[in-house]
Amino acid sequence: MGSEHVVQGGFPMKANAGNATILALGKAFPHQLVMQDFLVDGYFKDTNSDDPELKQKLARLCKTTTVKTRYVVMSEEILEEYPELTTEGTPTIKQRLHICNEAVTKMAIEASQACIKKWGRPTSDITHLVYVSSSEARLPGGDLYLAKGLGLSPQTKRVMLYFSGCSGGVAGVRVAKDIAENNPGSRVLLATSETTIIGYKPPSANRPYDLVGVALFGDGAGAMMIGSDPELVSENPLFELHTALQEFLPGTEKTIDGRVTEEGISFKLERELPQIIEDHIEGFCGRLMGVVGYDNKEYNKMFWAVHPGGPAILNRMEKRLDLSPEKLNASRRALADYGNASSNTIVYVLEYIIEESKKMKKEGEGDGEWGMILAFGPGVTFEGILARKLAV
């Protein structure tokens, strides 16, 4: 590893000049908490469905996903007002967008407010806004409604990332990093917000892959404050964002397939997705690790903040990179507690990374200073950031 980046004797508390840092994290959720143990009966009851074979399949999937709890926008009140959401073949895109547009804005505002509170500086110091969602569609976009809801200046510069799927959170970090590093003194609020109502459907033997989403995905929002050259008197940098990389894999466009239809958004994940990620993860990580002199034998010297697309992806990564089991603890905890919440989930993973690092330090154990922030999305697209942990 390049010695010019290392501070001996512990974690550096100061970022390299000009490099973007994550200054605060925040999250928010809808009020409905779903326990995985009760999901199957509740889902079939809510959709007025009774297919024993599909019910058994969903029960199996609920166990294999390792999800324990999730938050969802969907509620009895919504189903009472919009019973057509559970009717197969009914055009409901208008109703879904009406619900989703309002819900994602509300959650994004709450997550951003939590992040700003932890950041500790006034909202008027925010210069840029990056907003990420695969759960809404409108003009003007959710970025404007978020800026309005937070009371941001009309001069705040806004960027939207729509329909990036599970890689959207890390893509947003990459964009915010570029903005922060090219606009000295700027402070960039990144917000992500997602709800599964956009694709909520009754079970169907013609769409067995839909059950994976029912068993795996959750709703919520996340936020980060990102800026370069933090003011250490008033700001507490958590991670330095050193190098970002994005790659797509030609010929894999249909592996994660999403289509907007009259019934909402339909997603289809091909079975080979975990294998595709496993086959390409070493080369991708190697290109990032080489920047600071790590080689592929030193994976366990790093921390790993990986978007938990599902247990199969995490298991294959762990095996291919020969990671110690604890290296993906934060990702597995986020998956268990919140499900795959698409672009939001990387925020929850980073919070657990900090929590576990504090615990390890208290117990006198060391943890990696350098690490990877990773996510995989439609394309198939790999998003990665080589980062340094600054605050423990």
Side-chain angles (χ1 to χ4, degrees):
M1 178 178 171
S3 60
E4 69 272 19
H5 299 298
V6 184
V7 175
Q8 300 296 334
F11 291 104
M13 298 305 293
K14 187 175 181 180
N16 289 306
N19 283 3
T21 61
I22 297 176
L23 300 168
L25 300 167
K27 61 181 183 291
F29 301 98
H31 297 303
Q32 285 72 236
L33 176 65
V34 176
M35 307 294 292
Q36 193 82 334
D37 290 344
F38 302 104
L39 180 138
V40 177
D41 289 339
Y43 172 66
F44 275 80
K45 176 178 176 291
D46 290 342
T47 56
N48 302 307
S49 304
D50 186 20
D51 185 319
E53 187 175 340
L54 288 178
K55 199 169 186 180
Q56 289 177 2
K57 181 173 183 177
L58 180 58
R60 291 194 299 271
L61 287 169
C62 283
K63 292 180 180 178
T64 60
T65 59
T66 71
V67 177
K68 302 298 182 186
T69 55
R70 280 177 291 171
Y71 293 88
V72 296
V73 171
M74 182 59 80
S75 64
E76 290 183 4
E77 291 78 13
I78 290 175
L79 289 174
E80 288 175 2
E81 185 174 355
Y82 302 98
E84 61 270 29
L85 296 180
T86 65
T87 303
E88 187 74 29
T90 304
T92 52
I93 186 65
K94 180 179 179 180
Q95 296 92 317
R96 292 172 191 275
L97 288 176
H98 176 74
I99 300 166
C100 293
N101 291 344
E102 180 179 340
V104 294
T105 298
K106 181 176 185 295
M107 292 188 293
I109 290 172
E110 291 175 355
S112 298
Q113 289 172 334
C115 180
I116 293 167
K117 183 177 181 180
K118 291 179 181 178
W119 177 43
R121 288 175 57 177
T123 303
S124 57
D125 287 350
I126 297 171
T127 59
H128 296 74
L129 173 65
V130 177
Y131 175 66
V132 180
S133 182
S134 297
S135 304
E136 63 153 273
R138 53 184 159 171
L139 288 173
D143 60 322
L144 185 138
Y145 292 102
L146 174 57
K148 180 181 177 181
L150 292 172
L152 299 185
S153 164
Q155 283 77 48
T156 303
K157 300 172 182 67
R158 311 185 320 271
V159 175
M160 280 192 308
L161 297 179
Y162 268 1
F163 297 105
S164 297
C166 291
S167 60
V170 181
V173 177
R174 172 175 51 79
V175 171
K177 166 183 160 60
D178 287 347
I179 292 172
E181 292 176 352
N182 285 283
N183 295 271
S186 62
R187 289 298 178 264
V188 186
L189 174 63
L190 165 65
T192 66
S193 193
E194 309 285 4
T195 173
T196 51
I197 283 183
I198 196 71
Y200 184 91
K201 294 180 177 66
S204 171
N206 296 323
R207 301 188 313 275
Y209 43 81
D210 279 3
L211 296 180
V212 176
V214 175
L216 183 63
F217 291 106
D219 300 355
M224 302 186 195
M225 190 64 65
I226 295 174
S228 301
D229 302 318
E231 297 179 6
L232 297 183
V233 174
S234 60
E235 294 176 313
N236 179 31
L238 305 174
F239 298 92
E240 177 184 342
L241 305 172
H242 189 280
T243 303
L245 184 64
Q246 182 197 60
E247 293 183 7
F248 73 92
L249 305 178
T252 64
E253 294 86 356
K254 300 297 183 182
T255 304
I256 304 173
D257 190 50
R259 303 293 175 92
V260 179
T261 72
E262 292 183 341
E263 297 176 64
I265 294 180
S266 297
F267 287 103
K268 184 176 181 181
L269 305 177
E270 296 293 346
R271 291 177 179 270
E272 62 264 26
L273 177 61
Q275 184 65 57
I276 289 172
I277 292 172
E278 180 183 355
D279 290 344
H280 294 86
I281 191 64
E282 281 186 285
F284 183 78
C285 290
R287 286 185 280 282
L288 280 169
M289 292 170 64
V291 174
V292 289
Y294 273 129
D295 62 35
N296 60 6
K297 304 298 182 184
E298 298 180 291
Y299 295 125
N300 284 302
K301 292 183 179 179
M302 310 181 77
F303 69 85
W304 293 82
V306 181
H307 169 79
I313 292 173
L314 297 178
N315 293 342
R316 285 176 178 266
M317 272 194 62
E318 183 177 287
K319 181 180 179 182
R320 175 57 65 97
L321 303 180
D322 197 22
L323 296 176
S324 302
E326 70 274 7
K327 287 297 176 178
L328 295 179
N329 273 355
S331 297
R332 296 188 189 280
R333 287 179 63 190
L335 181 62
D337 292 345
Y338 307 114
N340 178 345
S342 193
S343 64
N344 311 316
T345 324
I346 198 64
V347 175
Y348 316 151
V349 174
L350 289 171
E351 284 195 331
Y352 281 142
I353 289 279
I354 294 171
E355 178 185 313
E356 293 182 357
S357 294
K358 289 180 178 179
K359 182 180 178 182
M360 291 180 70
K361 184 177 181 181
K362 188 175 182 180
E363 294 174 352
E365 300 178 11
D367 191 18
E369 173 193 349
W370 290 88
M372 294 290 212
I373 302 174
L374 300 171
F376 318 101
V380 171
T381 299
F382 281 46
E383 291 277 0
I385 297 176
L386 179 68
R388 284 169 74 213
K389 204 183 301 172
L390 299 177
V392 179

